[in-house]
Amino acid sequence: MKSTIPETGVPIAHPAGNGGDRQEASLHGEILLRLRDYVVEGNIPEGARVPERQLCEMLGISRTPLREALKVLAAEGLIELLPNRGARVRQLSQRDLEELFDVMAGLESLAGRLACEAITDDEIAEIERLHYEMYGHYLHRDMPGYFQTNQRIHECIVAAARNETLKAAYANFAGRIRRIRYSANFARKRQRWGEAMREHEAILDALRRRAGSELSDILFQHLRNKRTAAIEHLTEPDGDMPVSP
């Protein structure tokens, strides 16, 4: 499985210069990005302890910046911090998934409707560019690349809604199901991946026409289909074929 985590012994490069808040923020952001990808891509089993020493060696960092990044992932809902016992990957039940995906469906549905009222031509052009980038990842069966670009498309639609309360709520819930959305791509029904691409074609078409009500319905059903794939993965964990990102 492709990962942004470097091989053992290859540390994250520290910013050049005399230091300062901007450099520290840049380093923290890189650590967070790589650690998030590592967890999302399923390199640590659900419910398992986070191997802090191993991650420090892989990233070439000390425990302090690692634990700062773990606090952010805990706030996003990807992991749980254990008092005086480190951290473990958050494990979601089927009921958790049903509720979370339903809330996400409602948020994305609202975002689509609002986006069609406020989105600019340049923003539509950027989403279109991302769509074809995602299609390239799909053709090459590059799941990590596909997933990351897919998430950026949905985030762009939410941003175009021009509603900071909606954006904050979306970020909170998206973090809690990011890992299962990724891992559900490997459930059994391979044809679901193709269906997801066709759904994204419909999303882009409705967005171009600024058809708010239509886009709202498409996004709601798109998230419902993702929920089905996620629950399928949860109940049949041995599936190894990609489905809906």
Side-chain angles (χ1 to χ4, degrees):
M1 183 181 296
K2 179 180 177 182
S3 175
T4 56
I5 292 285
E7 298 295 332
T8 301
V10 182
I12 290 177
H14 290 250
N18 297 322
D21 292 343
R22 183 177 299 177
Q23 293 171 347
E24 290 180 7
S26 176
L27 178 60
H28 174 74
E30 187 174 357
I31 293 169
L32 178 60
L33 176 64
R34 292 183 174 179
L35 185 58
R36 183 189 290 118
D37 284 349
Y38 192 75
V39 173
V40 167
E41 291 172 12
N43 292 287
I44 307 172
E46 289 189 8
R49 295 281 292 275
V50 174
E52 293 189 21
R53 180 179 298 178
Q54 177 186 340
L55 290 174
C56 285
E57 291 175 356
M58 294 173 70
L59 293 166
I61 59 175
S62 66
R63 287 282 180 93
T64 299
L66 177 70
R67 287 175 176 172
E68 288 301 312
L70 289 175
K71 289 178 183 178
V72 176
L73 296 189
E76 292 179 355
L78 280 172
I79 68 167
E80 295 176 297
L81 298 178
L82 307 173
N84 302 314
R85 292 185 291 122
R88 68 184 174 196
V89 175
R90 185 180 180 90
Q91 190 167 19
L92 298 173
S93 68
Q94 180 172 334
R95 184 59 181 167
D96 290 333
L97 291 179
E98 290 172 348
E99 293 180 355
L100 285 168
F101 271 98
D102 276 349
V103 171
M104 284 292 289
L107 291 173
E108 291 213 21
S109 176
L110 175 59
R113 186 180 294 272
L114 294 178
C116 285
E117 298 175 358
I119 197 166
T120 66
D121 290 342
D122 286 345
E123 286 172 320
I124 291 177
E126 172 61 10
I127 291 173
E128 184 171 9
R129 184 192 68 78
L130 289 170
H131 174 83
Y132 289 112
E133 178 182 321
M134 181 179 68
Y135 184 60
H137 292 310
Y138 165 73
L139 292 177
H140 290 92
R141 292 298 187 262
D142 175 9
M143 184 59 71
Y146 180 99
F147 181 77
Q148 290 169 10
T149 310
N150 179 291
Q151 297 304 289
R152 287 168 63 193
I153 290 171
H154 287 275
E155 288 164 3
C156 283
I157 293 173
V158 172
R162 307 287 194 274
N163 187 306
E164 291 302 315
T165 301
L166 172 61
K167 186 176 178 180
Y170 177 84
N172 176 39
F173 287 104
R176 295 172 67 182
I177 60 173
R178 186 178 284 114
R179 175 186 168 95
I180 190 63
R181 283 174 73 164
Y182 182 90
S183 59
N185 298 324
F186 300 98
R188 290 199 173 121
K189 295 182 180 178
R190 183 171 182 170
Q191 67 269 24
R192 175 59 202 143
W193 197 0
E195 291 170 2
M197 276 303 308
R198 288 189 288 275
E199 288 168 9
H200 266 272
E201 291 281 0
I203 289 169
L204 181 59
D205 177 64
L207 196 58
R208 286 176 180 143
R209 293 183 286 108
R210 292 176 169 82
S213 179
E214 182 179 341
L215 180 58
S216 177
D217 290 343
I218 292 170
L219 284 167
F220 188 88
Q221 189 57 49
H222 184 59
L223 266 292
R224 272 296 180 89
N225 293 339
K226 288 182 180 183
R227 184 183 78 162
T228 299
I231 292 173
E232 176 187 333
H233 175 75
L234 182 70
T235 56
E236 300 182 37
D238 293 329
D240 58 0
M241 302 301 288
V243 281
S244 167

